[in-house]
Amino acid sequence: MPELPEVETTVRGLRPVLEGQRLASVETRRGDLRRPFPADLRQRMTGATVTGLRRRAKYGLIDTDRGDTMIFHLGMSGRWRVDPAELLPHDHLLIATDAGRRLALNDARRFGSVDLWATDGLDAYPPFATMGPEPLGEDLTAEYLHAALAGRKASIKLMLLDQRIVAGLGNIYVCEALFLARISPKTAAGRVSLLRLERLVPAIRAVLLAAIEAGGSSLRDYARPDGELGYFSKQFAVYGREGEPCGCGGKVQRYSEGGRSTFWCPKCQR
């Protein structure tokens, strides 16, 4: 599933195509993805000018001069295609600009979503209303995490995946960040000391920034808007490396928790 770095990479890829452009047409080729497309999507977006593109957690945001924001989630297989030579069967949303550029939102599994919301009321958009701070923002600090995790018996791995604690973190990058910070993913969240959280916060940022720089991680369906694959998977220290040696002399192991596979090195992650 595309995670924060993949969405950030997608937004950056769309920005030079859409920002400042008037939308000549917006067309849906089916009625729904995971949820129905907004009934008035075409009416509200056609003729609008895109004033900005940004990201919140794992969602992409396209702001317009009409005070609307189109919110997209890539689900498990979604990706935007820029200036496609031909339309594919799973191109479900088409956007054209006055400058002659075309975009197609392709989603074979249809677990993605598209919504419209008033820009000045985005904090009330249901998925955003209870979200924690952005992991790349200034509000994520060791002190914040120490307070938010106090008394929690669930593992630090599961708590970092809780969007109410930190917005946008996903399985791959939590595994990698915990490895970089040398923290066992099995440790009860409330028992992780402030000192170790002071290692974890910069580790989270370092892993995410490196992944964004590499264009994200292409595991199955994800590709950047320009069609290129993300190459951060080449840098994985533990994710997907069960049985392989760790640089400390240990061996990467895997276990399942909360329906997800966790990869870690028991020798150096304590």
Side-chain angles (χ1 to χ4, degrees):
M1 179 179 293
E3 297 186 15
L4 184 155
E6 289 76 48
V7 179
E8 180 68 29
T9 301
T10 294
V11 167
R12 293 184 184 189
L14 295 178
R15 195 170 282 141
V17 180
L18 284 179
E19 194 162 46
Q21 299 299 312
R22 182 179 179 275
L23 304 182
S25 66
V26 177
E27 175 190 351
T28 56
R29 301 181 72 206
R30 60 173 295 114
D32 60 1
L33 296 177
R34 180 160 50 94
R35 298 189 299 272
F37 283 107
D40 54 354
L41 179 68
R42 180 176 182 177
Q43 175 186 354
R44 288 166 64 179
M45 294 294 287
T46 301
T49 296
V50 175
T51 56
L53 292 95
R54 52 203 169 107
R55 177 194 54 76
R56 174 65 167 131
K58 301 176 188 178
Y59 293 81
L61 310 178
I62 302 175
D63 300 325
T64 77
D65 63 347
R66 293 178 177 174
D68 291 324
T69 295
M70 190 178 88
I71 306 167
F72 66 85
H73 193 287
L74 297 175
M76 296 183 69
S77 62
R79 63 188 182 99
W80 285 94
R81 303 198 306 129
V82 176
D83 295 328
E86 59 180 355
L87 295 182
L88 300 178
H90 298 296
D91 288 339
H92 302 309
L93 173 64
L94 306 178
I95 295 177
T97 71
D98 276 354
R101 307 298 297 273
R102 293 200 307 161
L103 291 164
L105 178 58
N106 185 283
D107 190 353
R109 300 187 187 186
R110 302 202 308 273
F111 281 109
S113 63
V114 172
D115 287 312
L116 270 180
W117 205 264
T119 306
D120 60 6
L122 279 175
D123 287 346
Y125 179 61
F128 297 168
T130 59
M131 276 185 180
E134 286 284 327
L136 295 176
E138 295 180 355
D139 291 337
L140 181 64
T141 64
E143 291 76 16
Y144 161 78
L145 278 182
H146 195 249
L149 300 175
R152 300 293 188 114
K153 296 180 180 180
S155 72
I156 183 65
K157 164 75 184 306
L158 287 183
M159 285 293 93
L160 290 176
L161 292 175
D162 188 332
Q163 301 298 291
R164 296 168 297 181
I165 303 295
V166 185
L169 287 184
N171 193 46
I172 294 173
Y173 301 105
V174 168
C175 287
E176 293 293 304
L178 287 170
F179 172 79
L180 186 59
R182 298 297 188 260
I183 296 172
S184 168
K186 296 184 177 183
T187 304
R191 296 184 60 188
V192 180
S193 68
L194 180 60
L195 182 63
R196 290 201 288 172
L197 292 174
E198 287 173 346
R199 297 202 309 263
L200 179 59
V201 170
I204 290 171
R205 292 199 177 103
V207 166
L208 292 177
L209 290 172
I212 292 168
E213 181 68 23
S217 303
S218 292
L219 298 181
R220 291 187 181 178
D221 304 292
Y222 170 74
R224 291 147 57 178
D226 60 6
E228 292 294 319
L229 301 180
Y231 292 101
F232 187 68
S233 56
K234 306 293 185 184
Q235 303 177 37
F236 287 164
V238 288
Y239 189 85
R241 296 187 57 219
E242 181 182 10
E244 297 183 26
C246 175
C248 72
K251 185 176 290 187
V252 176
Q253 295 185 12
R254 179 185 70 85
Y255 67 90
S256 181
E257 182 181 29
R260 300 178 178 91
S261 290
T262 298
F263 297 88
W264 69 307
C265 174
K267 183 174 181 180
C268 64
Q269 290 180 255
R270 302 288 184 178

